[in-house]
Amino acid sequence: KLLLCSYHHSLRVFLLLTSSRDPQNNDQKKDNVPITTRQLEALIRLSQARAKACLRPYVLREDAEDVVELMIESVKQVHTDESGKIDKTRGGAGGKSKKRRIFLEAMINSGKTSFELRDLQIIAEKLSFPISGFKDFIEDLREGGDIMRSNNGSTAIYTLSSF
């Protein structure tokens, strides 16, 4: 087992960088991205792996700092949209379910009860959801029972299951 005593400071710095210091500051809240337990465990494993790669039986502060830097860049890359703004629905804790909920709310708020695929694509574009994997996303909604699909001739029609 590798000793992990010197990474604690770096992990604390990482948590401070990714969490809001001022709960009243709404600008900071917008840029926060939830960090999961799995990500924190990954920091530990990556710190250990870096130490092993250097043939050391213990983790140095520099191992943890390098791994924290890597994680920060990774989180930024995942959660930053094309315009450079933080988009929490792009990943992290609850990303899929939150994205699903936001999309279904937008369908409800549209005032329509039935949608063609193009209508759903327009909703996704308005929400700045990535188009790649869009059909899979819609299929997941259908398989999850959130929406239903019927055919009107050659056109697929989608409706919310709650209607």
Side-chain angles (χ1 to χ4, degrees):
K1 274 288 205 196
L2 290 174
L3 299 176
L4 296 172
C5 55
S6 58
Y7 75 89
H8 287 121
H9 174 73
S10 295
L11 291 180
R12 277 188 289 230
V13 169
F14 176 71
L15 289 172
L16 286 174
L17 289 172
T18 57
S19 64
S20 175
R21 289 182 180 181
D22 181 5
Q24 303 302 319
N25 187 339
N26 286 331
D27 290 335
Q28 275 185 342
K29 284 182 186 177
K30 289 178 192 170
D31 288 343
N32 286 345
V33 175
I35 301 301
T36 65
T37 303
R38 181 176 286 186
Q39 288 169 316
L40 292 174
E41 290 169 348
L43 284 171
I44 293 168
R45 287 191 306 276
L46 287 168
S47 296
Q48 290 173 326
R50 189 177 185 287
K52 278 184 182 180
C54 294
L55 304 174
R56 278 187 268 105
Y58 50 88
V59 176
L60 296 176
R61 177 183 230 140
E62 73 180 49
D63 297 326
E65 288 171 352
D66 286 348
V67 167
V68 165
E69 187 177 323
L70 175 72
M71 184 67 82
I72 289 170
E73 290 305 312
S74 174
V75 168
K76 281 181 188 176
Q77 185 177 13
V78 168
H79 292 281
T80 303
D81 64 14
E82 294 77 22
S83 65
K85 295 181 182 173
I86 298 292
D87 179 2
K88 295 180 194 178
T89 64
R90 293 178 70 111
K96 274 190 175 178
S97 62
K98 185 174 182 180
K99 182 177 179 180
R100 185 182 209 114
R101 183 180 45 80
I102 289 170
F103 189 83
L104 293 170
E105 286 174 4
M107 286 178 69
I108 292 166
N109 293 336
S110 73
K112 297 174 82 173
T113 56
S114 62
F115 304 84
E116 291 183 15
L117 188 60
R118 181 65 191 138
D119 298 324
L120 298 177
Q121 287 173 326
I122 290 169
I123 290 172
E125 288 170 6
K126 286 180 182 177
L127 296 172
S128 299
F129 285 0
I131 297 301
S132 63
F134 175 75
K135 287 185 180 181
D136 291 334
F137 174 71
I138 296 301
E139 196 59 27
D140 288 345
L141 290 175
R142 194 183 69 74
E143 289 174 1
D146 296 311
I147 62 175
M148 296 183 294
R149 181 179 64 204
S150 59
N151 289 320
N152 182 8
S154 63
T155 304
I157 303 295
Y158 298 87
T159 57
L160 288 160
S161 296
S162 58
F163 283 96

